DNA sequence: CTTATTTACGAAACCGTTTTCGTGGTAAAG
DNA sequence: CTTTACCACGAAAACGGTTTCGTAAATAAG
């Protein structure tokens, strides 16, 4: 079908090996021959067959990005950063969505055994009951970098934000603004970053002599239908909190939904702060105070780390990059 | 390195061809032999080498999604839909971002000549001065489906929403609510969908006997830094419009930014409606009336169409799927 | 019992590169 | 005039499957 090295070789009265080397600019080939080959190849519009060379060279030029969803501003910005780095290095990005389903994550990771990708960037699902599939992935020679949602128990490169400290600061911020009774909207499952954020929240409670019983942690899920009643109940209870820390973007916006529904005024009756990367946080009603994660930078850092493991074949498994978030105070905590 | 068909064949005293056929469940192989092969392969944890089979079978199992950006709720939802269909069919999704740069789009599309992907889903960049690269892509045997941002002049499958009619309805909605002086925030470049939306807007003007000069079309760009001054100027001019139609999500939210900045009240002084797929449109200040595009469904439809061209090798180039948007009236046009 | 047909498998070509290993020829070194 | 070094290239073996074609044995048909 297409024009192959073989055809070029035949037409030019050269051996295929010669043509191959010429195209790869090998020192073994004279400048004149290279020129002949280059020009003829260009004239025929020669495109090397990816699969032939991948087969031989045992690399695909693809990297995988595995994440729970893409309709979250954090993840979409992270993809943006990853794609930028990948494109600049001539790599291609494959995107896989787990939708918080361990089963999907397993089968996706399982697929990677066939060499379709040379490396993996990953934000794990929340309910990582078993992570054997990740152990197996890490055990292979394929570089693996976790970003944001890391899997503890796997010795692997990580790119995260300062979850504990950010959450502590956000909580302190609520307290400083006058909130007396707090609540932390956590996420069911067992995510390291969520646990850290939660601990940061609790640290702030202790720092201010607040009781952990009266300032609870509420475990939300990943589906709005579950969370709205949960948050509704929290805000309708007799001990209504007047300060809420959202561990992820979704629960913060869901809190807004409930507050609007219950006619609770933000920030007068309830202050809200949330981890989020929404560009339009400032346009919400009222504008939302956010712990803004460096999503784009985290994506870039993760990808860069991956390529260090990939191209310099360095062992980056002990690398841990922490990029701080910034608290952007807005109306919701005024 | 890994376990190959060759090894299985040797260990089982079979020919490689026999093992290959057994694994592919060929009728040529007896049930007993198949069983032997299956079990042994499973025991050794055999994984077929993707590149060997891709080389021979001339298909990669990958599809490409080429789009301007991912940090837009429309596109991220579309990816979601695409990924769902692809995953269910055992295909893999490669994501390419053009960032509205024709040059990037060209080099991306150019890459597809090597067979890395079997088909392409695409939302073109706005400034498609020349689209030779798309002509060339469409000219090859590789299925191509445009979604949302189609490229006219290329005979190819399309999945779009009812842009003209939606824009007309949105404009009529503004007029019905009492707006007297309108403006349409368009997008520079030459996108078919933008032109259609603009024509829908102008149709509504004519339907209501409104003058096109006094109800202008303003051409925005893709960068906020350009648009804010533009919108600011529009809203500060002596003939300030009291009804704005945003052709894409970005310009609608940017209008919000400017209105907040200028202390213009929405909807009292300015009504705003925009094409958008934001889940949190209802939480904006004030909640934003949207023409909500069926992003997820469009992604699914586009992918499904692509697979029809891919697996049934049907010629889908004349297919055009139109999935209507819905106007969700909220506070911004009250 | 002969002839056609089916069944189950093997040998080998092939997909398009890359890479190793030679080799004849020329130039430099001894 | 040998020996040693390149130089520039070719032959052929990979890489790991898939596919075509051939064939021995078993079965069915005549």
């Amino acid at each position: 079908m297409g024009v192959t090295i073989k055809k070029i070789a035949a037409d030019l009265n050269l051996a295929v090996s010669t043509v191959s080397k010429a195209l790869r600019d090998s020192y073994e080939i004279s400048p004149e021959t290279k020129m002949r080959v280059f020009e003829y190849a260009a004239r025929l519009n020669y495109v090397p067959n990816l699969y032939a060379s991948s087969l031989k060279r045992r690399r695909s030029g693809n990297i995988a990005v595995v994440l729970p969803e893409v309709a979250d501003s954090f993840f979409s910005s992270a993809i943006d950063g990853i794609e930028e780095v990948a494109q600049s290095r001539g790599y291609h990005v494959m995107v896989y969505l787990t939708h918080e389903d361990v089963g999907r994550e397993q089968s996706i990771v399982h697929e990677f055994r066939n060499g379709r990708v040379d490396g993996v960037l990953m934000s794990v699902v929340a309910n990582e009951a078993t992570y054997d599939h990740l152990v197996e992935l890490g055990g292979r020679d394929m570089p693996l970098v976790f970003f944001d949602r890391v899997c503890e128990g796997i010795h692997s490169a990580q790119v995260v934000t300062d979850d504990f400290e950010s959450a502590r600061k956000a909580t302190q911020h609520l307290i400083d603004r006058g909130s007396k009774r707090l609540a932390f909207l956590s996420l069911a499952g067992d995510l390291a970053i969520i646990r850290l954020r939660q601990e940061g929240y609790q640290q702030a409670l202790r720092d201010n002599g607040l009781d952990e019983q009266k300032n609870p942690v509420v475990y939300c899920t990943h589906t709005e239908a579950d969370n709205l009643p949960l948050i509704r109940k929290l805000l309708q209870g007799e001990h209504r909190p007047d300060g809420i820390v959202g561990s992820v973007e979704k629960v913060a916006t869901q809190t807004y939904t409930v507050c609007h529904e219950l006619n609770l005024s933000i920030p007068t009756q309830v202050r809200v702060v949330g981890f989020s990367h929404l560009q339009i946080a400032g346009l919400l009603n009222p504008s939302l105070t956010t712990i803004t994660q460096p999503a784009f930078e985290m994506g870039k850092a993760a990808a860069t780390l991956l390529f260090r493991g990939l191209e310099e074949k360095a062992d980056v498994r002990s690398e841990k990059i922490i990029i701080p978030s910034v608290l952007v105070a807005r109306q919701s905590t005024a």
Side-chain angles (χ1 to χ4, degrees), chain A residues 120-124 138 142-152 154-160 301-309 314-322:
Chain A
V120 178
L121 293 169
M122 175 153 204
S123 248
V124 300
M142 195 180 306
L144 169 64
V145 177
F146 290 110
F147 68 100
D148 197 49
R149 296 174 167 208
V150 307
C151 179
E152 294 181 314
I154 305 274
H155 178 226
S156 185
Q158 308 183 350
V159 176
V160 294
T304 305
L305 208 48
L306 187 71
F307 287 124
R308 281 200 20 228
D315 182 6
V316 294
R317 283 177 303 178
S318 298
E319 301 263 359
K320 176 167 184 173
I321 297 180
I322 303 178

Side-chain angles (χ1 to χ4, degrees), chain A residues 48-304:
Chain A
N49 182 298
L50 183 66
Y51 295 102
S53 62
S54 278
L55 176 58
K56 196 65 183 146
R57 305 175 64 190
R58 302 172 169 291
R59 47 177 297 277
S60 64
N62 301 331
I63 64 172
V65 182
V66 184
L67 29 78
E69 55 178 335
V70 69
D72 175 290
S73 65
F74 173 81
F75 290 122
S76 54
S77 290
I79 289 185
D80 207 344
I82 291 165
E83 218 267 350
E84 177 168 306
V85 176
Q87 215 172 105
S88 78
R89 306 243 185 166
Y91 274 77
H92 300 243
V93 176
M94 323 211 52
V95 170
Y96 296 88
L97 306 181
T98 58
H99 296 286
E100 303 288 4
D101 179 348
V102 189
R104 282 209 202 188
E105 189 178 274
Q106 283 171 333
S107 59
I108 288 167
V109 165
H110 212 68
E111 283 255 29
F112 295 160
R113 302 183 308 163
N114 63 10
R116 192 183 298 262
V117 298
D118 299 335
V120 178
L121 293 169
M122 175 153 204
S123 248
V124 300
V125 307
N127 301 300
E128 209 77 295
T130 92
Y131 49 85
D132 294 354
H133 56 297
L134 301 182
V135 175
E136 199 220 313
L137 184 65
R140 297 232 292 297
D141 51 355
M142 195 180 306
L144 169 64
V145 177
F146 290 110
F147 68 100
D148 197 49
R149 296 174 167 208
V150 307
C151 179
E152 294 181 314
I154 305 274
H155 178 226
S156 185
Q158 308 183 350
V159 176
V160 294
T161 188
D162 57 342
D163 294 291
F164 177 92
E165 183 57 15
S166 299
R168 195 198 57 73
K169 275 197 273 194
T171 311
Q172 185 65 51
H173 172 74
L174 285 179
I175 295 171
D176 291 345
R177 292 299 169 100
S179 289
K180 303 292 185 201
R181 187 179 280 272
L182 308 179
F184 181 82
L185 297 185
S186 185
L187 223 46
D190 185 37
L191 280 175
I193 59 163
I194 297 295
R195 200 173 50 251
L196 283 171
R197 292 174 189 181
Q198 185 171 323
E199 287 168 3
Y201 163 76
Q202 288 165 332
Q203 178 65 47
L205 293 185
R206 281 193 298 277
D207 289 347
N208 294 272
L210 294 176
D211 184 54
E212 293 202 12
Q213 302 306 320
K214 296 186 173 170
N215 299 273
V217 169
V218 176
Y219 291 92
C220 297
T221 74
H222 298 282
T223 60
E224 178 158 313
D226 292 338
N227 293 346
L228 293 185
L230 219 58
I231 300 173
R232 211 175 280 137
K233 190 176 151 205
L234 175 71
L235 291 178
Q236 282 180 319
E238 52 182 334
H239 301 302
R240 164 153 52 79
D242 60 353
I244 299 240
V245 183
S247 62
V248 294
E249 185 169 293
K250 239 179 307 193
V251 295
T253 57
Q254 285 161 2
T255 301
Y256 264 54
T257 302
V258 172
C259 284
H260 287 188
E261 176 192 317
L262 298 181
N263 272 317
L264 284 171
S265 159
I266 306 174
T268 327
Q269 295 174 282
V270 185
R271 290 189 185 81
V272 181
V273 56
F275 279 82
S276 167
H277 191 259
L278 269 182
Q279 283 88 338
I280 58 169
L283 302 179
L284 293 186
N285 180 21
S287 61
L288 172 66
T289 296
T290 57
I291 303 145
T292 301
Q293 305 136 297
F296 185 79
E297 288 74 19
M298 285 172 68
K300 279 181 68 170
T304 305

